[in-house]
Structure formats: structure tokens, C-alpha cells
Amino acid sequence: MRFVLTVLRKELRENLRDRRSFVSALIISAVLMPLVVALLVNLTVRRGQTQDNQQVSLAVIHGERAPNLLADLRQFRIDLVAVDLDDGAARAALRHQLRRIVLAIPDNYASQLALGLPAPVLLYSDSSDAAGANDVGRVRAVLARHASEIARLRLMARGVDPTVLSAIAVHDVDVATPTSRSVLILGALTSIILMTMLMGGLHVALDATAGERERGSLEPLLTVPVRREQLIYGKILAACVFMLLSLTVSVCAMALALRNAGLERLGMNENMSAATVVELIVCCAPLAPLGAALMTIVAAFTRSYREAQTYVGLILAIPTLPLIFASTLGLRPSAWLMLLPALSQHFMVTGLLRAEPVSALYAVLSVSVSLGLGLVAAYAAGRLYHREKLLG
């Protein structure tokens, strides 16, 4: 153990001397990334505030056939633009993004309405245009409201109480708290935290083998009268130290940045108190040994530092996989899912952001499995140091 600590001190001292790599790994990844996230959250908040107050531009074909409908649309901040388009031209206008929504009033609209029959209207929109989905929804809501009002007046004219059509009155009861609603925006925070943590020790893990080999210092290092696995264990511990430092700086910077993001303007609150920050660090820290050991194994199989950087990119992509699977499949925490590294951290971080208590069983499973796999990977990396091919 004494030799492992000696190697650890050596690696820490050498990497701290390389100020450019240290600043790049720590400041850029652990500080700049949280600031970018906070900026994106702030822009999302501002867009959410102004989106419902902005006018929606609606192109109308033959609007003179439905004056009451157009008057109703104007009351809800919908800007009507009269256009003269046929069916093909309306479709082309949407495909070429010249118009976002087009409303066409057929010539039988008034006659159908007078006969008490459903009056047809054509609403042209592009469902693949995600940016315009909210505007289309607002127009649809106004049209549905106008249709409901006409139906209500028809029933009253026939002496029928309109409430007979409402057989069931559904009252929505939203149990979400302002803190839990913040996860709708901060759901990707886990991947960002884990990625910045791994990037913090990336240069240390790659330099342990690939860098030493390129500089020609690996062979003299292996001649030292110390067991080879102890050398790599010390290097892995050094990478873990930098990862934990990056994790701490990243989470603290994220907490400070999110306090000024303005989530309260959307009725949300971020749960980034000092206690939560500590809990987030504790939840994610067990993944550091596994990440450092895997990077070291990759570096041992590559022939150059540049090649090692290429393959290590796959390891950096690991934190994004849990978010993809969790959101696509709608996964919820369970005992067997907590056995998967990164995914278990995602569940715990999400729970902390929602201000929900983390199950002790889930926490034990996540920490023990992550640390256990990290030890196994570190042992495998130590065994690789006995290979003669390690020298290239």
C-alpha cells in the first residue's frame, strides 16, 4: 500500500505541474459546462414566459365566410393574415416554411352551420415542426372552444340544458411540487455531472499508459522494484482524485448557477441546497473508480495517446445512455435497475432534485455495485500491466 500511495503522490504532483491540462480539464469541463446549462435553463424559462403571451400568426383562406369565428380567434391574441391559396399552394407554403399554420374556410361552412350540422374547416399544419407545436395547439384550443360555444347555444335554443352533455366532470389534482416540477427542465443534469466528472480524470488515466509509452518513460518505470499492479493502482487512484475534484467543482458551480436561472418564474424551485450538493457528490462519486479503471484499460490496449483518446470517447458516452433508456422506456427505480452503474446514479440524482428521500436499499445497491465493478476493472488493469505487449 505504501508504494501505491507513493505513485499516487507522484502522479498528483506531475499532473498539477501541467497547468494547461489541469485548467482545461477542471475549469472548462467543470465550470464552463454548468454555466452553459444555467444559460440554457434561463433561456428556456424566458421562452416559457413569453410563449403564451406572443401572438400566433394564422393564415386564413376565405375568412369572410366565418366572421364570428375570426372574431373569436382575435380575442385570443391570434394574428389573422388573409391569403388566397388553393389546397396545393397551402401545403407547399407549409413545406417550404413560408407559413406555419393555415386555416381554410370551405364554401359550405355557413350553410352547414345554418342547418345545425357540423361545419367543416381545414387546418393545415406540419406535425414535424416541433417549434410550431405550441402555436398549433393554441389555434386548436380556440377552435374547440368556439365549436363548444356553438353547440351550447344550439342546445339552449332547443330548450335543452347544455350540462346534460357533461356526464362526468374531471377535476385534475396535481400533486407535483415546485421542486419536483423542476426535473422537467433539469432531467439531463445527471449525464452532465457524470460526464464532467469523467472528463476531469481523462488526461490522467490516458497518460498512465499511452502517454508514458509515447514519452518512452514506461519501460524505465516498469523496471522499478515494485509490483506492476501497484503502479497502475496508484495511477488509477490519481485519476479518481481528479475526477472527484472535478465532480465537486461541477456540482457546486451548477448549484450556484441554477440559483440565478429563474426557475421560480415558471413555478419551479431547484433543490440545490448545501445538503443536496453533498448528497449529489456522494451518489456520483462511486462511479469514479470504474471510469478511471476502464479508461486505463483502454489506454493499455492502444498504441498512441491519440488512439486512446478516440476509444475513450465511448466511455464518456456511457452517462448519456441511462437518460436515453430511462426517458424512452419510461423506466422507474427498482432493485434490479439499481445494479446498473450510471443508471442507478441517474435515479438517485433525479430523486434528490425532486426532494424525495432516497431508499437506503437502492443507495447501498448502487454504491456497492459501482465500487465492486470498479475494483474488478482495476484488478483487470493491474493484470494487463504484466503483459509484455504493453510496451508497444
Side-chain angles (χ1 to χ4, degrees):
M1 188 63 185
R2 180 169 60 89
F3 295 110
V4 174
L5 296 178
T6 301
V7 175
L8 170 62
R9 288 193 297 269
K10 166 188 169 295
E11 291 295 327
L12 292 178
R13 185 169 55 253
E14 289 183 353
N15 283 279
L16 288 175
R17 287 175 181 171
D18 188 1
R19 295 183 180 180
R20 179 175 298 180
S21 298
F22 177 73
V23 171
S24 175
L26 187 63
I27 303 300
I28 295 180
S29 63
V31 177
L32 185 60
M33 185 71 75
L35 294 178
V36 172
V37 171
L39 176 61
L40 293 176
V41 171
N42 187 267
L43 293 176
T44 302
V45 170
R46 292 187 179 184
R47 183 174 182 270
Q49 279 187 304
T50 60
Q51 196 170 42
D52 291 336
N53 297 324
Q54 289 180 343
Q55 282 196 338
V56 176
S57 178
L58 175 63
V60 181
I61 305 173
H62 297 300
E64 70 280 357
R65 296 171 179 171
N68 293 333
L69 174 59
L70 268 58
D72 211 4
L73 289 168
R74 290 191 183 96
Q75 291 181 3
F76 291 89
R77 300 185 305 278
I78 296 179
D79 183 27
L80 304 179
V81 179
V83 295
D84 186 13
L85 303 173
D86 56 16
D87 180 75
R91 294 173 183 269
L94 267 72
R95 281 197 299 267
H96 296 108
Q97 299 183 352
L98 300 177
R99 299 290 178 183
R100 179 162 285 177
I101 317 171
V102 177
L103 178 66
I105 311 296
D107 54 3
N108 64 338
Y109 175 85
S111 60
Q112 292 289 98
L113 205 61
L115 294 173
L117 299 175
V121 295
L122 301 178
L123 185 64
Y124 295 85
S125 63
D126 186 356
S127 60
S128 64
D129 182 12
N134 187 71
D135 292 347
V136 175
R138 285 179 57 185
V139 173
R140 287 183 184 277
V142 176
L143 293 176
R145 178 188 177 281
H146 185 77
S148 177
E149 183 66 19
I150 293 177
R152 188 180 69 84
L153 293 175
R154 286 177 175 176
L155 290 175
M156 292 177 63
R158 290 166 173 78
V160 179
D161 187 357
T163 58
V164 299
L165 297 180
S166 302
I168 299 177
V170 179
H171 299 278
D172 292 324
V173 180
D174 188 1
V175 299
T177 63
T179 302
S180 63
R181 280 197 297 269
S182 66
V183 178
L184 296 175
I185 296 180
L186 304 179
L189 203 60
T190 308
S191 298
I192 298 172
I193 292 175
L194 294 180
M195 188 171 295
T196 53
M197 179 189 73
L198 295 176
M199 290 177 64
L202 174 64
H203 65 289
V204 182
L206 296 186
D207 188 73
T209 302
E212 296 272 13
R213 186 191 296 116
E214 282 195 353
R215 292 192 300 269
S217 58
L218 181 59
E219 186 172 357
L221 181 64
L222 296 179
T223 60
V224 175
V226 178
R227 295 173 60 184
R228 291 187 174 186
E229 58 267 22
Q230 292 183 339
L231 294 175
I232 197 61
Y233 293 160
K235 292 177 178 290
I236 291 176
L237 284 178
C240 290
V241 170
F242 281 96
M243 286 183 180
L244 294 179
L245 180 60
S246 178
L247 171 64
T248 303
V249 175
S250 174
V251 175
C252 292
M254 195 79 71
L256 293 175
L258 289 178
R259 289 184 180 180
N260 300 316
L263 285 173
E264 63 279 355
R265 284 177 282 178
L266 290 181
M268 303 177 182
N269 291 326
E270 83 287 342
N271 182 32
M272 294 296 283
S273 62
T276 304
V277 168
V278 173
E279 291 173 336
L280 288 174
I281 295 173
V282 172
C283 287
C284 298
L287 198 63
L290 178 59
L294 290 177
M295 290 180 183
T296 304
I297 292 175
V298 170
F301 278 105
T302 55
R303 297 183 178 181
S304 65
Y305 192 90
R306 180 173 297 180
E307 184 183 357
Q309 285 181 316
T310 302
Y311 289 111
V312 165
L314 298 176
I315 298 177
L316 293 177
I318 290 177
T320 64
L321 297 179
L323 182 62
I324 295 175
F325 283 102
S327 59
T328 303
L329 303 178
L331 300 179
R332 300 182 65 86
S334 62
W336 72 272
L337 287 178
M338 299 305 289
L339 300 178
L340 302 177
L343 183 58
S344 61
Q345 275 78 20
H346 169 70
F347 285 139
M348 289 194 296
V349 169
T350 302
L352 291 173
L353 293 177
R354 292 170 58 91
E356 297 175 350
V358 178
S359 169
L361 173 62
Y362 289 174
V364 170
L365 289 175
S366 174
V367 172
S368 58
V369 171
S370 297
L371 289 178
L373 291 177
L375 292 176
V376 172
Y379 175 79
R383 297 297 299 174
L384 288 176
Y385 250 52
H386 289 279
R387 298 167 63 247
E388 295 302 326
K389 293 183 179 180
L390 187 70
L391 297 175

